[in-house]
């Protein structure tokens, strides 16, 4: 079973439960957030940086890759499938595994050198400062 | 102001302030269950949960797993775009009489809860030797 299958299942769950409805108006100009977008992200705006959090439980941090180019951050990773030993059987399989990749476009360019990534408790947190050249600058007025 | 910026602010004004007024969200964690020769293993995705915020109980053969995720606060930042909420995870499983309730072990790693429920001795497979007649 691949991660996309999990997402379809999650989408059904979200529809049924109504607790996690699809978000209208997406960050990266796609018309709506669909269940196929994995991992789900939250984005926080600061004056000079963005913070992105993503729920990616059960990943070996070595299998998680974060890349920043311009104003776009790409999160790529995989979760290894459970391998049953002889005599073991699945009674229920709901969790997904496999590869995933998601790119998120931020409103302003980022300083790729200063991006900090932390993975704890199954949550990826990225701190992404805006590119220096793109920061708002206060212009001093000279008197004539 | 750029189009994206306006979108961010609109999301902030509508979706998020409404969410905050609602009661805390409750989620059912997705789980795999594996049976081995001597135990049952329940594996549940509970991102944001660690060993301090997870609670496991067995009562009248019902296994209850629960976990709370505190909403993270980033000083000087405002939530601008939200696809997932945080709150409480909870799920119940009915156990058969085969489970040795006193031997249950659990661990949490990277937001994944794993519970090992050993079978009582009488429920484990026993190899019967067959003698030649």
């Amino acid at each position: 079973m691949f991660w996309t299958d999990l997402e379809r299942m999650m989408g059904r769950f979200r529809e049924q439960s109504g607790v996690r409805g699809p978000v209208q108006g997406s960050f990266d100009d796609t018309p709506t957030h669909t269940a196929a977008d994995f991992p789900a992200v939250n984005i926080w705006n600061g004056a000079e940086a963005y913070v992105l959090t993503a729920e990616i439980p059960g990943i070996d941090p070595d299998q998680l890759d974060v890349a920043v180019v311009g104003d776009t951050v790409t999160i790529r990773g995989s979760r290894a499938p459970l391998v049953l030993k002889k005599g073991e059987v699945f009674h229920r399989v709901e969790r997904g595994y496999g590869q995933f990749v998601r790119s998120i476009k931020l409103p302003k360019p980022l300083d790729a050198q200063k991006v900090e990534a932390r993975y704890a408790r199954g949550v990826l947190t990225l701190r992404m400062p805006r590119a220096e050249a793109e920061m708002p600058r206060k212009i001093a007025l000279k008197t004539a | 102001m750029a189009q994206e910026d306006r979108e961010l602010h609109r999301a902030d004004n509508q979706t998020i302030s409404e969410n905050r007024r609602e009661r805390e969200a409750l989620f059912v964690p997705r789980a795999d269950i594996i049976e081995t020769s001597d135990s049952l293993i329940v594996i549940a995705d509970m991102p944001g949960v660690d060993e301090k915020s997870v609670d496991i109980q067995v009562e009248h053969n019902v296994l209850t797993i629960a976990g709370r995720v505190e909403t993270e606060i980033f000083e000087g930042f405002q939530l601008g775009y939200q696809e997932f909420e945080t709150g409480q995870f909870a799920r119940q499983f009915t156990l058969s009489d085969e489970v040795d309730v006193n031997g249950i072990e659990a661990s949490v790693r990277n937001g994944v809860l794993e519970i090992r429920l050993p079978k009582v001795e009488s429920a484990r497979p026993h190899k019967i030797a067959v003698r030649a007649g």
Side-chain angles (χ1 to χ4, degrees):
Chain A
M1 178 163 132
F2 290 100
W3 208 277
T4 47
D5 296 319
L6 163 77
E7 279 303 310
R8 274 198 287 278
M9 201 163 67
M10 275 177 71
R12 279 203 297 276
F13 167 64
R14 288 179 188 184
E15 284 160 25
Q16 285 160 9
S17 64
V19 290
R20 286 190 180 193
V23 176
Q24 299 296 319
S26 175
F27 212 79
D28 53 2
D29 289 331
T30 46
T32 51
H33 167 66
T34 65
D37 294 331
F38 184 93
V41 300
N42 288 345
I43 298 170
W44 307 68
N45 303 314
E48 299 182 348
Y50 303 99
V51 169
L52 180 151
T53 56
E55 290 188 324
I56 318 176
I59 299 282
D60 180 348
D62 293 342
Q63 299 295 311
L64 203 50
D65 182 58
V66 178
V68 172
V69 176
D71 58 1
T72 302
V73 56
T74 301
I75 303 165
R76 195 185 296 272
S78 68
R79 182 155 84 171
L82 288 173
V83 179
L84 295 185
K85 296 186 198 76
K86 195 168 178 290
E88 295 182 345
V89 289
F90 275 119
H91 283 272
R92 194 183 282 270
V93 183
E94 298 171 356
R95 301 163 67 243
Y97 49 80
Q99 297 186 342
F100 60 87
V101 57
R102 187 168 182 198
S103 291
I104 299 125
K105 190 176 184 295
L106 280 301
K108 300 276 192 265
L110 307 167
D111 187 341
Q113 301 295 322
K114 292 184 183 161
V115 171
E116 293 170 27
R118 187 171 66 97
Y119 180 70
R121 301 186 302 276
V123 179
L124 174 70
T125 304
L126 302 178
R127 234 170 226 276
M128 304 179 289
R130 281 168 58 180
E132 201 77 44
E134 301 288 334
M135 297 279 197
R137 223 176 294 257
K138 201 172 171 67
I139 310 297
L141 290 180
K142 280 185 235 173
T143 49
Chain B
M1 190 187 281
Q3 171 73 19
E4 291 92 336
D5 266 353
R6 277 203 301 276
E7 292 223 19
L8 289 185
H9 286 104
R10 200 175 60 207
D12 191 33
N13 291 340
Q14 295 177 353
T15 320
I16 294 153
S17 54
E18 282 165 23
N19 287 340
R20 288 220 175 108
R21 279 197 294 275
E22 291 169 9
R23 62 191 164 75
E24 191 179 55
L26 182 70
F27 304 107
V28 178
R30 293 181 302 281
D32 293 348
I33 300 176
I34 300 164
E35 181 173 357
T36 71
S37 59
D38 61 358
S39 57
L40 286 161
I41 300 164
V42 177
I43 302 170
D45 280 347
M46 298 167 77
V49 166
D50 61 18
E51 64 281 359
K52 292 188 284 290
S53 55
V54 71
D55 187 46
I56 302 161
Q57 287 185 16
V58 179
E59 193 178 357
H60 301 304
N61 277 1
V62 176
L63 170 71
T64 303
I65 60 177
R68 176 179 296 277
V69 181
E70 297 295 333
T71 302
E72 275 198 273
I73 307 289
F74 297 101
E75 203 67 46
F77 287 81
Q78 279 193 317
L79 185 52
Y81 175 66
Q82 185 179 34
E83 289 179 354
F84 68 88
E85 291 174 58
T86 52
Q88 177 106 17
F89 285 105
R91 190 161 181 180
Q92 292 190 320
F93 299 93
T94 303
L95 306 177
S96 74
D97 294 332
E98 292 183 0
V99 170
D100 174 10
V101 171
N102 296 315
I104 297 174
E105 292 173 6
S107 63
V108 186
R109 187 167 171 269
N110 290 337
V112 178
L113 173 67
E114 182 167 333
I115 309 172
R116 184 173 286 270
L117 307 127
K119 294 180 190 174
V120 293
E121 192 59 38
S122 61
R124 298 184 186 189
H126 288 269
K127 204 170 172 67
I128 312 296
V130 178
R131 284 180 295 182

